[in-house]
């Protein structure tokens, strides 16, 4: 077995048993990253840094001081600020920006021994569901439809991270999920993506899109690998006022495989006529597997679900319009101006620095916060948000986790759905509810579409109950036995 | 209420003030950077203050405590839940592109400030609210002919915006309001009140109306930075509005600036004010929840505040309201006075107040010294008052001695001895002098028989003969006895 075919847990164990060195593991992944360049999954490759970090890992392993992620090569979504390493947020406006600081989540990963392979491509400022809005070009999904050579999108916004993990370039990756940006690409690329509870992973040092909805979280190819990564990424951070001070459990230990007596909710509002039949079939299959595992299936109503997407597309742009005001050409990044007056400098810089989708959302956000429209849009959306959180609160009286499909479609072709922004926004229909309510949710591959593309299943859990989510996901993963491989695997 | 007499009848001013007070704290409202004044440009800027990507605000509890203490000092309602919101606008000295402020739910609600008017009366002015917000940086337009420079040292420093109700009716009342507020903030140690350094800035809302009539349209004159300018800006803006209204025009609701050189207000360029701030709750910060026990603890730790001190001075020392107001305006002055009254032997509080206000503060002002640097302290001044009280020296001599004390820093007794100024109260010695003056001036004695007022001439002669050392009271008595 080549090192890139190992799971993260497998590589960890092989390193511990000295069957493999961190250098060998990293070299294999550096080569894979290089081989996978046609996917455009990375904005920046950091092979030299990766090898240095691997050498340091080997030294620590030799001294018996290995951390929980010692020597594990990861892709980092280029929304995480990394000290001394260019950070772009997928935007031209951060041109030349090299942070002097390291995000809390990545510094915890390095503390635990992980290795930085590079900065993964993403939709500009994480705004998108296809990775088509990146200023650094689209990412290609390593999967292709059966008998169809058209390039597919990996989903978004964490498209580069998902593609890198799916194509075996990295053992895991970080993503961020504001409306589905971890789970939807995980579904499109046949891997596992976990969005933890709001406040579980620090947002400090992660470029903000919509602060109340942004969730850092991991990608990996297995549920166990996700559990291992989450343990390192999670934790209270006094530098993030929305971080929550609760202990971080050993998530891997939660994978007991025993679901007996658990109640799983199946919400009727997630059954949409417009959704392809295969997605429903995979969902039904998931329900069956859980029944067989001893779960009680509970039909459920989350009555305000249909208002979630519109509320999300008010709140997220509103926050974004304010969060992105700091990119003004004054202190860092792009400045487009000679000796022009101030307003012209702002306009030229932001006009040139931001792409179309970012501009659209800034305009929507500015509009919904404007005098005279605030109550009709922003305030109403906040009320909807409360109602959605209440729906879930009521559901937790009856169930321990909720099972739904992750996305309303499989991966689509690059160029499809590009002319209608609203069609793209519909990609988030099943995922935004967990962001609005701040609940942990995971996507794992449940099966294939009729044309051979992966389809994800989503599990949503109680706040700070990632353990149940992971435990159920582990059993589903086992039952699904998802063995299909993408069209492109690095090094093959 | 002072009325303005126009040609079409009288008008009254309606004035409300918004004061921005810089909070005394070690570090900024949402970052650990220092707040020290006068540091090299951009030397006190954290990643948060510069709004670097991914940076997040963390609320400084010390600033919250200061706001609560100020609220308690204003006898105001403390809101146990308050919310930080973003006020969005673009400006180079505002790195985030928004100011974190409080809007719908401020930390402090309704309160009262009792202002002291020159005639000794007081007036209660309502406080609408107090909220916490970040200061902006500073744009420097005078460093380069073509470019504007930005200094972010002040960016993120905590401010309290204290908003009065529109309950003042004259420039005098507005001045008294700012003076009293500044005094209160200094007592509380929540703001140094230094208007020149910009730690206290004032926006003036003003409108005119017919007495008792409905409110008129107001204007807001921003960033007035001294009490004198506040009063001048009010007079100028009231004159301007009066002219408009008297000639049948309408006042436009707008933001204006006061130009102290020309003594007039002028509108800000419309670009500077055409803002829709798009306030919304800052999603990076949770609502601020206060523990009632903490608020109580802060309340218990407040010092004696000016109004209470004034009431005590009136009751304990029998001072006039004017004297009491002057003495309590600054905490150090009040402390000086109390040290003077309570030090040494039993001292007359009224005499002590007179000497403190007229002579001592007069000398401070004239010399530019402060209480810390002054050559005479409460102890030394007390020594002088004691000599005055036991008739060792006369009032006129006391003034001379005080001047010498201020010059030399020596104590009163030393100077009295050095100058031989001791008042002569010995009956024998004075009697001899009186006898001699009477014997030498028979013509004057005749005049005295016709007009007893001539006694003043005799007193003057005796004082002259004793080089001014004679106890004037005793001289008077002896003369009366001997002249019959």
């Amino acid at each position: 077995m080549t090192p890139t075919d190992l799971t993260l847990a497998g590589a960890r164990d092989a390193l511990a048993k000295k069957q493999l060195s961190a250098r060998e593991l990293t070299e294999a992944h550096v080569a894979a990253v290089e081989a996978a360049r046609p996917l455009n999954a990375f904005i920046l490759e950091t092979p030299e840094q990766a090898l240095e970090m691997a050498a340091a890992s080997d030294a620590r392993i030799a001294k018996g001081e290995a951390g929980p992620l010692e020597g594990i090569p990861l892709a980092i979504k280029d929304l995480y600020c990394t000290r001394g390493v260019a950070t772009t947020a997928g935007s031209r406006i951060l041109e030349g920006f090299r942070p002097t600081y390291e995000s809390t989540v990545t510094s915890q990963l390095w503390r635990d021994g992980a290795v930085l392979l590079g900065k993964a491509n993403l939709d500009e400022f994480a705004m998108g569901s296809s990775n088509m809005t990146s200023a650094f070009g689209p990412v290609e999904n390593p999967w292709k439809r059966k008998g169809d050579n058209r390039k597919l999108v990996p989903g978004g916004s964490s498209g580069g991270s998902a593609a890198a993990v799916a194509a075996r370039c990295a053992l895991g990756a970080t993503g961020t999920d504001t409306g589905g940006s971890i789970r939807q690409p995980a579904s499109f690329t046949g891997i596992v993506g976990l969005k933890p509870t709001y406040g579980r992973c620090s947002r400090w040092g992660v470029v903000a899109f919509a602060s109340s909805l942004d969730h850092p979280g991991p990608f990996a190819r297995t549920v166990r690998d996700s559990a291992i990564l989450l343990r390192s990424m999670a934790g209270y951070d006094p530098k993030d006022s929305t971080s929550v001070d609760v202990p971080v459990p050993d998530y891997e230990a939660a994978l007991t495989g025993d679901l007996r007596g658990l109640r799983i909710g199946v919400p009727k509002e997630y059954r949409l006529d417009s959704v392809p039949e295969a997605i429903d079939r995979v969902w039904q299959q998931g329900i069956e597997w859980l029944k067989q595992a001893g779960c009680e299936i509970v039909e459920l109503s989350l009555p305000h679900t249909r208002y979630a997407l519109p509320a999300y597309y008010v709140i997220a742009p509103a926050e974004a319009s304010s969060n992105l005001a700091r990119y003004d050409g004054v202190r860092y990044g792009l400045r487009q101006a000679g000796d022009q007056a101030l307003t012209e400098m702002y306009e030229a810089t932001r006009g040139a620095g931001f792409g179309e989708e970012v501009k659209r959302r800034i305009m929507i956000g500015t509009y919904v916060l404007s005098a005279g429209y605030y109550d009709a849009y922003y305030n109403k959306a906040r009320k909807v948000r409360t109602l959605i959180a209440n729906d879930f609160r009521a559901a937790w009286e009856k169930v321990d986790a909720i099972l739904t499909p992750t996305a309303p479609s499989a991966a689509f072709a690059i160029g499809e759905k590009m002319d209608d922004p609203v069609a793209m926004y519909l990609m988030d229909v099943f995922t935004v509810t967990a962001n609005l309510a701040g609940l942990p949710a995971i996507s794992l591959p449940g099966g294939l579409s009729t044309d051979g593309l992966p389809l994800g299943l989503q599990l949503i859990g109680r706040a700070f109950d990632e353990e149940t989510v992971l435990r159920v996901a582990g059993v589903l993963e086992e039952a699904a036995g998802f063995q299909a491989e993408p069209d492109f695997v690095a090094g093959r | 209420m002072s009325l303005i007499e126009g040609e079409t009848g009288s008008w009254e001013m309606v004035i409300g003030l918004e004061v921005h007070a810089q909070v005394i704290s070690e570090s900024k409202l949402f970052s650990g950077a220092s707040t020290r004044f006068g540091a090299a440009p951009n030397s006190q800027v954290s990643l948060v203050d510069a709004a670097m990507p991914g940076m997040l605000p963390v609320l400084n509890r010390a600033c919250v405590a200061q706001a609560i203490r100020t609220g308690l000092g204003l006898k105001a309602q403390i809101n146990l839940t308050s919310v930080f919101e973003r006020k969005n606008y673009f400006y180079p000295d505002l790195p985030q592109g928004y100011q974190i402020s409080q809007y719908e739910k401020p930390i402090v609600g309704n309160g009262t400030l009792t202002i002291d008017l020159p005639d000794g009366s007081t007036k209660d002015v309502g406080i609408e609210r107090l909220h916490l917000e970040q200061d902006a940086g500073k744009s420097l337009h005078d460093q380069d002919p073509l470019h504007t420079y930005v200094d972010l040292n002040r960016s993120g420093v905590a401010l309290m915006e204290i908003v009065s109700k529109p309950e003042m009716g004259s420039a005098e009342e507005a001045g008294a309001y700012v003076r009293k507020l500044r005094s209160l903030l200094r007592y509380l140690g929540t703001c140094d009140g230094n208007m020149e350094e910009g730690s206290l800035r004032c926006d003036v809302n003003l409108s005119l109306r017919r007495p008792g009539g409905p409110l008129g349209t107001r204007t807001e004159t921003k960033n007035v930075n001294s009490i004198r300018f506040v009063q001048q800006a009010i007079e100028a803006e009231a004159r301007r509005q009066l002219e408009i209204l008297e000639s049948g025009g309408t006042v436009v609701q707008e933001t204006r600036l006061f130009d102290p050189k020309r003594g007039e207000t002028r509108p800000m360029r419309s670009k500077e004010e055409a803002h829709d701030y798009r306030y919304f709750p800052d999603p990076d910060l949770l609502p601020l929840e206060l523990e009632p026990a903490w608020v109580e603890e802060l309340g218990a730790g407040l010092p004696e505040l000016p109004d209470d001190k004034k009431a005590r001075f009136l009751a304990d020392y029998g001072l006039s309201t004017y004297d009491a107001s002057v003495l309590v305006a600054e905490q150090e002055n009040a402390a000086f006075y109390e040290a003077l009254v309570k030090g040494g032997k039993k001292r007359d509080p009224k005499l002590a107040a007179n000497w403190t206000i007229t002579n001592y503060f007069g000398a401070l002002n004239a010399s530019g010294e402060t209480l810390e640097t002054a050559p005479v302290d409460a102890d030394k001044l007390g020594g002088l008052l004691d000599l005055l009280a036991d008739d060792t020296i006369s009032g006129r001599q006391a003034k001379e001695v005080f001047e010498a004390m201020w010059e030399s820093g020596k104590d009163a007794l030393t100077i009295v001895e050095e100058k031989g100024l001791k008042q002569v109260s010995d009956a024998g010695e004075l009697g001899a002098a009186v006898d001699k003056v009477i014997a030498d001036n028979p013509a004057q004695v005749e005049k005295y028989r016709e007009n007893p007022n001539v006694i003043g001439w005799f007193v003057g002669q005796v004082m002259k003969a004793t080089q001014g050392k004679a106890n004037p009271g005793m001289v008077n008595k002896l003369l009366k006895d001997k002249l019959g």
Side-chain angles (χ1 to χ4, degrees), chain A residues 101 205 241 322-323 326 331-332 371, chain B residues 50-54 57 86 88 95 276:
Chain A
Y101 46 94
S241 308
S322 176
N323 281 336
R326 65 186 58 197
R331 297 168 313 287
Y332 47 78
Chain B
M52 299 305 284
R86 293 184 182 178
N88 294 282
D276 176 353

Side-chain angles (χ1 to χ4, degrees), chain A residues 22-333:
Chain A
R23 190 172 64 89
E24 287 165 331
L25 184 64
T26 293
E27 277 173 349
H29 282 94
V30 165
V33 168
E34 204 173 313
R37 275 182 195 160
L39 298 180
N40 196 30
F42 287 86
I43 289 174
L44 180 72
E45 298 170 12
T46 56
E48 286 165 17
Q49 187 162 345
L51 291 169
E52 274 173 33
M53 291 172 92
S57 284
D58 277 329
R60 280 192 295 270
I61 292 168
K63 281 195 278 180
E65 293 168 1
L69 291 175
E70 203 60 74
I72 302 296
L74 301 177
I76 300 299
K77 187 179 187 180
D78 203 17
L79 204 61
Y80 289 73
C81 291
T82 39
R83 187 184 297 115
V85 178
T87 300
T88 68
S91 181
R92 273 202 65 200
I93 203 142
L94 277 172
E95 206 170 82
F97 171 59
R98 255 169 219 275
T100 57
Y101 46 94
E102 185 78 33
S103 83
T104 298
V105 165
T106 48
S107 59
Q108 288 174 186
L109 291 171
W110 314 143
R111 172 202 68 198
D112 286 354
V115 169
L116 170 66
L117 284 172
K119 301 299 290 288
N121 204 343
L122 69 158
D123 278 303
E124 186 177 5
F125 282 101
M127 296 177 190
S129 305
S130 63
N131 219 111
M132 295 295 292
T133 73
S134 169
F136 299 87
V139 174
E140 195 184 310
N141 194 328
W143 292 79
K144 289 215 165 79
R145 289 176 185 137
K146 242 184 316 185
D148 183 342
N149 208 33
R150 273 184 295 171
K151 293 174 179 175
L152 304 180
V153 302
S157 66
S158 315
S161 299
V165 173
R168 310 273 199 276
C169 298
L171 291 174
T174 65
T176 61
D177 190 317
T178 305
S181 282
I182 290 175
R183 289 158 290 158
Q184 183 253 18
S187 176
F188 277 21
T189 58
I191 63 172
V192 178
L194 171 60
K195 179 199 87 68
T197 310
Y198 188 75
R200 180 72 290 185
C201 293
S202 170
R203 294 183 295 113
W204 192 88
V206 180
V207 175
F209 159 17
S211 313
S212 75
L213 297 158
D214 291 345
H215 297 67
F219 284 100
R221 289 194 290 275
T222 70
V223 172
R224 178 172 303 274
D225 291 358
S226 306
I228 294 167
L229 281 173
L230 179 62
R231 191 182 184 188
S232 290
M233 292 170 72
Y236 172 63
D237 180 5
K239 290 188 287 188
D240 175 357
S241 308
T242 61
S243 169
V244 180
D245 193 2
V246 289
V248 179
D250 179 354
Y251 294 115
E252 206 181 351
L255 305 175
T256 60
D258 183 0
L259 304 188
R260 283 171 300 172
L262 269 190
R263 299 161 303 167
I264 304 294
V266 177
K268 63 178 185 196
E269 288 79 8
Y270 285 64
R271 207 163 278 128
L272 301 181
D273 291 341
S274 54
V275 164
E277 182 275 331
I279 288 174
D280 222 37
R281 172 171 49 77
V282 168
W283 190 12
Q284 282 310 316
Q285 183 62 67
I287 292 168
E288 286 310 312
W289 287 327
L290 290 179
K291 261 188 211 166
Q292 286 158 21
C295 294
E296 180 194 339
I297 303 298
V298 181
E299 285 286 325
L300 205 62
S301 173
L302 299 168
H304 298 94
T305 301
R306 68 197 197 90
Y307 304 112
L309 197 65
Y312 172 83
Y313 275 98
V314 169
I315 293 169
E319 293 183 13
S321 71
S322 176
N323 281 336
L324 270 59
R326 65 186 58 197
Y327 308 106
D328 57 4
V330 174
R331 297 168 313 287
Y332 47 78

Side-chain angles (χ1 to χ4, degrees), chain A residues 97 101 203-206 211 238-241 322-323 325-326 331-332 339 342 346 350 366 369-371 374 378 382, chain B residues 47 50-58 86 88 90-92 95-98 147 276 278-281 283-284 286:
Chain A
F97 171 59
Y101 46 94
R203 294 183 295 113
W204 192 88
V206 180
S211 313
K239 290 188 287 188
D240 175 357
S241 308
S322 176
N323 281 336
R326 65 186 58 197
R331 297 168 313 287
Y332 47 78
D339 288 326
L342 179 64
Y346 284 153
R350 290 167 67 83
T366 304
L369 289 175
S370 297
Y374 184 88
Y378 184 73
R382 290 179 73 198
Chain B
L47 295 167
M52 299 305 284
M55 291 301 97
L56 298 171
V58 177
R86 293 184 182 178
N88 294 282
F90 285 93
Y91 208 68
Q96 294 166 139
Y98 55 83
H147 297 93
D276 176 353
R278 308 189 308 282
Y279 279 98
F280 75 106
D284 286 331
L286 302 172

Side-chain angles (χ1 to χ4, degrees), chain B residues 389-439:
Chain B
D390 67 10
D391 279 340
T392 307
I393 52 174
S394 67
R396 202 175 54 78
Q397 286 175 319
K399 281 174 192 148
E400 194 185 333
V401 173
F402 179 67
E403 272 170 35
M405 289 167 74
W406 199 272
E407 284 295 313
S408 63
K410 292 177 183 165
D411 61 44
L413 195 60
T414 310
I415 291 186
V416 165
E417 277 166 1
E418 275 177 10
K419 295 203 167 190
L421 282 176
K422 230 172 183 173
Q423 182 167 258
V424 179
S425 304
D426 181 273
E429 196 181 334
L430 286 182
V434 166
D435 289 343
K436 188 169 186 305
V437 171
I438 292 173

Side-chain angles (χ1 to χ4, degrees), chain B residues 127-426:
Chain B
I127 300 293
E128 177 99 27
R129 59 185 278 157
L130 174 156
H131 71 248
L132 276 169
E133 64 183 26
Q134 298 176 298
D135 204 350
K138 214 163 136 188
S139 291
L140 309 169
H141 302 292
D142 55 358
Q143 306 288 302
D144 183 282
L146 291 176
H147 297 93
T148 294
Y149 285 53
V150 177
D151 177 7
L152 294 180
N153 281 354
R154 227 173 56 187
S155 164
V157 166
L159 300 178
M160 295 179 286
E161 181 173 324
I162 304 165
V163 183
S164 85
K165 293 192 170 150
E167 294 180 351
M168 284 161 276
S170 66
E172 194 172 71
E173 287 185 3
Y177 174 90
V178 179
R179 256 190 296 275
K180 187 58 177 285
L181 183 59
R182 188 175 58 179
S183 162
L184 180 72
L185 295 171
R186 285 177 172 165
Y187 264 72
L188 291 163
T190 56
C191 171
D192 66 22
N194 191 328
M195 296 186 87
E196 281 139 50
E197 286 176 7
S199 29
L200 199 72
R201 310 193 281 273
C202 211
D203 300 344
V204 179
N205 287 303
L206 184 143
S207 64
L208 296 185
R209 66 170 174 188
R210 294 295 187 188
L215 287 173
T217 306
R218 68 184 167 86
T219 60
E220 181 180 12
T221 304
K222 287 193 96 72
N223 270 329
V224 192
N225 63 1
S226 82
I227 292 174
R228 196 158 53 89
F229 290 164
V230 166
Q231 296 185 328
Q232 288 175 3
I234 288 171
E235 301 289 0
E237 180 58 14
R239 266 198 311 276
R240 190 188 70 86
Q241 291 189 15
L242 181 72
E243 272 171 38
I244 293 173
L245 293 171
E246 292 259 297
S247 59
T250 50
V251 173
V252 182
Q253 181 165 351
E254 63 184 352
T255 306
R256 303 180 66 87
L257 286 174
F258 177 62
D259 180 346
K261 284 190 195 112
R262 309 179 61 173
E264 61 185 30
T265 69
R266 56 178 171 76
M268 283 174 95
R269 281 181 293 125
S270 59
K271 255 189 176 175
E272 290 170 347
E273 55 161 332
H275 287 309
D276 176 353
Y277 291 120
R278 308 189 308 282
Y279 279 98
F280 75 106
D282 191 328
D284 286 331
L285 294 160
L286 302 172
L288 174 57
E289 307 280 355
L290 302 177
E291 289 290 328
W294 188 41
V295 176
E296 267 174 45
E297 186 190 317
L298 289 169
L302 293 188
E304 184 184 34
L305 296 176
D307 290 338
D308 293 334
K309 205 183 275 292
K310 183 175 155 190
R312 186 165 62 80
F313 279 17
L314 290 175
D316 290 4
Y317 303 132
L319 301 182
S320 70
T321 47
Y322 174 80
D323 283 358
S325 297
V326 171
L327 289 173
V328 304
E330 301 288 344
Q331 205 165 16
E332 312 83 71
N333 292 352
F336 177 89
Y337 171 73
E338 291 222 273
L340 179 61
V341 172
K342 289 179 178 169
K345 298 172 210 164
K346 194 169 182 297
R347 288 174 185 158
D348 174 9
K350 285 186 192 169
L351 183 72
N354 255 331
W355 270 86
T356 303
I357 294 169
T358 311
N359 305 80
Y360 192 80
F361 292 168
L364 281 181
N365 279 338
S367 62
E369 303 284 350
T370 65
L371 283 175
E372 288 92 65
T373 62
V376 177
D377 60 13
D379 209 37
K380 284 181 183 159
L381 182 60
L384 177 67
L385 296 192
D386 292 343
L387 292 178
L388 191 56
D390 67 10
D391 279 340
T392 307
I393 52 174
S394 67
R396 202 175 54 78
Q397 286 175 319
K399 281 174 192 148
E400 194 185 333
V401 173
F402 179 67
E403 272 170 35
M405 289 167 74
W406 199 272
E407 284 295 313
S408 63
K410 292 177 183 165
D411 61 44
L413 195 60
T414 310
I415 291 186
V416 165
E417 277 166 1
E418 275 177 10
K419 295 203 167 190
L421 282 176
K422 230 172 183 173
Q423 182 167 258
V424 179
S425 304
D426 181 273

